[in-house]
Amino acid sequence: MLKDRFVTHADLKEAAAIERRRQYEESRKKRIFNAKQRLYGQDHQALEKQIHEKQEAKQSQNEQERKWNAEFCRRNEVINAKEREKGLEKKRQLNDLHFYRCQYQKKEDSRDYDLIDPKTRNEVARTADNDARLGISSAQVFAGEDILIHERKRLQKQQLKAWLEQQMKEKRQAEADRNEADIILQKTMNSRDQLALEMANMERNNAQRMQYAVLNYNKKLANEQNWKRQLAKKHEDEDNKAEIYNMITSDILTENPDVAQSRMGLHRKIAFEYRGMNAEELEHFKREQCKQIEERKKRETEEKLKEQMWDQMDMNITRACMLKKSEQEEKNKKNTIILNEENVRLAQNQKSQNTYIDKVLYANECTEKFFDQFNTTSR
């Protein structure tokens, strides 16, 4: 019979440690047995780029939420201000209504107050038709006996007209107060918008003035550069004209033969002033030229003889190399035949040896159980 076992804190701690080691071993096996990850690893640069993009997106989202919250708070403040204004207006209307009722709608001014007036309830003596003490239940005033009906109706109309005029005046005053409050609020909002517009216009004007100053400076600089270019072109044209005049009037173009004679001797000439040879010099030059032609033909004949000798020597060397190559090819053929025969013999020996190993020496085969005992852990 099995006995109950009490689980202690040490048992729970040991079980947690075993589970932690098992999970670590499983994660390590995934890393070790994954050849691609083991050889190449992870792209840390791409991961850092993704982290940076997530942080930027999070910052952008936080900034957007902050702006929305600020806008929400501002609108709530405007709504609360409107609600407070409405509450104050409603409270003021209620106070005005209460004051009006207390001032113009008293209980003793009501039409039936004489029925509940404790002072005149028990008085029935009639002194006149308009006696204030006579009520409906006095049995002293009857229909058709009201001689002051017109005066009474006139007074009632005047009283009703006064009440209506007072109500209209109070309503107009309340409407004027509301309009004034709306005007003040609108002026406040307009002043704020006007201030923002003025600031924007100021910034735009400053930018325009800056652009205008930069444009003027660039125009001045361009004009100065154009003036310098024109001045330089003018100087260059003057220099070119002076140079052309000097060249035209120089001894080079006029071909003055006296300027070519050197002061160092009669047969010495100035090279950059020299313009040609005389008849004797030309004759001497032609004789030397013919002499050089004959010498060059002689050198060409000697070079042709040398080339023929070198060609004959090249042909002899080529013939000897071809003979040597033929002998080497014959020798290589014989060696190839011998090597093929040796390879055939070795192949037969290896085939018989493999047959002996597969059929006799290693007759047993490896099952899946043999291979399953490898790579079971990461250690």
Side-chain angles (χ1 to χ4, degrees), residues 93-106:
Q93 291 177 0
L94 291 175
N95 291 332
D96 294 340
L97 179 62
H98 182 67
F99 175 79
Y100 180 82
R101 287 177 178 176
C102 293
Q103 187 71 22
Y104 301 104
Q105 292 182 353
K106 297 180 181 180

Side-chain angles (χ1 to χ4, degrees), residues 168-212:
M168 291 173 65
K169 182 179 179 181
E170 292 176 355
K171 187 175 181 180
R172 285 195 297 270
Q173 184 64 31
E175 185 68 24
D177 294 338
R178 285 195 297 272
N179 292 333
E180 185 178 0
D182 293 337
I183 290 170
I184 292 172
L185 180 61
Q186 187 66 31
K187 287 182 178 179
T188 304
M189 296 178 67
N190 290 334
S191 63
R192 185 185 61 186
D193 295 338
Q194 184 67 25
L195 181 60
L197 183 61
E198 289 177 358
M199 292 179 67
N201 291 331
M202 188 182 298
E203 291 180 358
R204 185 167 59 255
N205 292 331
N206 291 333
Q208 289 178 357
R209 286 196 296 270
M210 182 64 70
Q211 292 179 358
Y212 182 73

